[in-house]
Short mmCIF file of all heavy atoms in Angstrom, two decimals:
data_model
loop_
_atom_site.label_atom_id
_atom_site.label_comp_id
_atom_site.label_asym_id
_atom_site.label_seq_id
_atom_site.Cartn_x
_atom_site.Cartn_y
_atom_site.Cartn_z
N SER A 36 81.28 131.65 73.76
CA SER A 36 82.27 131.95 74.85
C SER A 36 82.91 133.36 74.76
O SER A 36 83.82 133.65 75.53
CB SER A 36 83.25 130.87 74.99
OG SER A 36 84.15 130.87 74.01
N ARG A 37 82.50 134.09 73.80
CA ARG A 37 83.13 135.45 73.45
C ARG A 37 84.57 135.29 73.26
O ARG A 37 85.31 136.15 73.76
CB ARG A 37 82.71 136.38 74.51
CG ARG A 37 81.19 136.62 74.61
CD ARG A 37 80.81 137.71 75.55
NE ARG A 37 79.44 137.87 75.66
CZ ARG A 37 78.82 138.04 76.72
NH1 ARG A 37 79.37 138.06 77.84
NH2 ARG A 37 77.45 138.16 76.62
N GLY A 38 85.00 134.19 72.66
CA GLY A 38 86.40 134.00 72.31
C GLY A 38 87.27 133.32 73.42
O GLY A 38 88.43 133.10 73.21
N GLU A 39 86.60 133.00 74.50
CA GLU A 39 87.43 132.39 75.61
C GLU A 39 87.74 130.99 75.33
O GLU A 39 88.82 130.48 75.76
CB GLU A 39 86.64 132.45 76.96
CG GLU A 39 86.56 133.98 77.44
CD GLU A 39 87.79 134.58 77.78
OE1 GLU A 39 88.68 133.84 78.30
OE2 GLU A 39 88.04 135.74 77.58
N PHE A 40 86.86 130.23 74.58
CA PHE A 40 87.22 128.80 74.31
C PHE A 40 87.42 128.69 72.84
O PHE A 40 86.58 128.99 72.06
CB PHE A 40 85.94 127.92 74.71
CG PHE A 40 85.65 127.88 76.14
CD1 PHE A 40 84.37 127.97 76.58
CD2 PHE A 40 86.69 127.81 77.10
CE1 PHE A 40 84.11 127.88 77.89
CE2 PHE A 40 86.45 127.81 78.44
CZ PHE A 40 85.09 127.88 78.86
N GLU A 41 88.64 128.19 72.56
CA GLU A 41 89.06 127.95 71.17
C GLU A 41 89.34 126.50 71.15
O GLU A 41 90.45 126.03 71.31
CB GLU A 41 90.22 128.70 70.75
CG GLU A 41 90.64 128.64 69.27
CD GLU A 41 89.70 129.24 68.37
OE1 GLU A 41 89.18 130.32 68.63
OE2 GLU A 41 89.43 128.64 67.32
N LEU A 42 88.27 125.68 70.86
CA LEU A 42 88.38 124.27 70.89
C LEU A 42 89.13 123.82 69.59
O LEU A 42 88.76 124.24 68.48
CB LEU A 42 87.04 123.56 70.94
CG LEU A 42 87.00 122.13 71.28
CD1 LEU A 42 87.49 121.92 72.64
CD2 LEU A 42 85.60 121.62 71.27
N LEU A 43 90.32 123.08 69.68
CA LEU A 43 91.04 122.79 68.53
C LEU A 43 90.42 121.38 67.95
O LEU A 43 89.89 120.65 68.65
CB LEU A 43 92.45 122.63 68.91
CG LEU A 43 93.09 123.83 69.52
CD1 LEU A 43 94.51 123.62 69.97
CD2 LEU A 43 93.09 124.98 68.51
N GLU A 44 90.81 121.19 66.70
CA GLU A 44 90.42 119.99 66.03
C GLU A 44 90.82 118.68 66.78
O GLU A 44 90.24 117.71 66.84
CB GLU A 44 90.84 119.89 64.60
CG GLU A 44 90.17 120.84 63.72
CD GLU A 44 90.73 120.91 62.33
OE1 GLU A 44 91.35 119.83 61.94
OE2 GLU A 44 90.39 121.77 61.57
N GLY A 45 92.09 118.80 67.35
CA GLY A 45 92.55 117.75 68.12
C GLY A 45 91.85 117.32 69.30
O GLY A 45 91.92 116.20 69.94
N SER A 46 91.03 118.26 69.79
CA SER A 46 90.19 117.99 71.01
C SER A 46 88.67 117.72 70.51
O SER A 46 88.03 116.92 71.09
CB SER A 46 90.10 119.24 71.92
OG SER A 46 91.42 119.45 72.39
N LEU A 47 88.31 118.45 69.39
CA LEU A 47 86.95 118.31 68.92
C LEU A 47 86.55 116.95 68.42
O LEU A 47 85.67 116.30 68.85
CB LEU A 47 86.66 119.31 67.91
CG LEU A 47 85.21 119.13 67.23
CD1 LEU A 47 84.15 119.50 68.23
CD2 LEU A 47 85.19 120.11 66.09
N TYR A 48 87.36 116.40 67.55
CA TYR A 48 87.07 115.19 66.86
C TYR A 48 87.11 113.98 67.78
O TYR A 48 86.20 113.11 67.74
CB TYR A 48 87.88 115.07 65.54
CG TYR A 48 87.38 115.90 64.51
CD1 TYR A 48 88.10 117.10 64.21
CD2 TYR A 48 86.15 115.74 63.98
CE1 TYR A 48 87.58 118.10 63.32
CE2 TYR A 48 85.66 116.66 63.05
CZ TYR A 48 86.38 117.80 62.62
OH TYR A 48 85.92 118.71 61.82
N PRO A 49 88.08 113.84 68.76
CA PRO A 49 88.00 112.72 69.61
C PRO A 49 86.67 112.83 70.49
O PRO A 49 86.08 111.76 70.78
CB PRO A 49 89.22 112.88 70.49
CG PRO A 49 90.22 113.60 69.67
CD PRO A 49 89.34 114.51 68.82
N ALA A 50 86.26 114.04 70.89
CA ALA A 50 85.10 114.28 71.72
C ALA A 50 83.92 113.88 70.84
O ALA A 50 83.01 113.09 71.28
CB ALA A 50 84.90 115.66 72.14
N LEU A 51 83.83 114.23 69.65
CA LEU A 51 82.68 113.88 68.74
C LEU A 51 82.65 112.34 68.58
O LEU A 51 81.57 111.74 68.50
CB LEU A 51 82.84 114.61 67.29
CG LEU A 51 82.45 116.06 67.29
CD1 LEU A 51 82.87 116.63 65.95
CD2 LEU A 51 80.87 116.19 67.50
#
Side-chain angles (χ1 to χ4, degrees):
S36 70
R37 297 185 183 136
E39 292 296 323
F40 296 139
E41 184 69 40
L42 198 60
L43 301 175
E44 290 179 17
S46 299
L47 174 66
Y48 288 104
L51 283 167

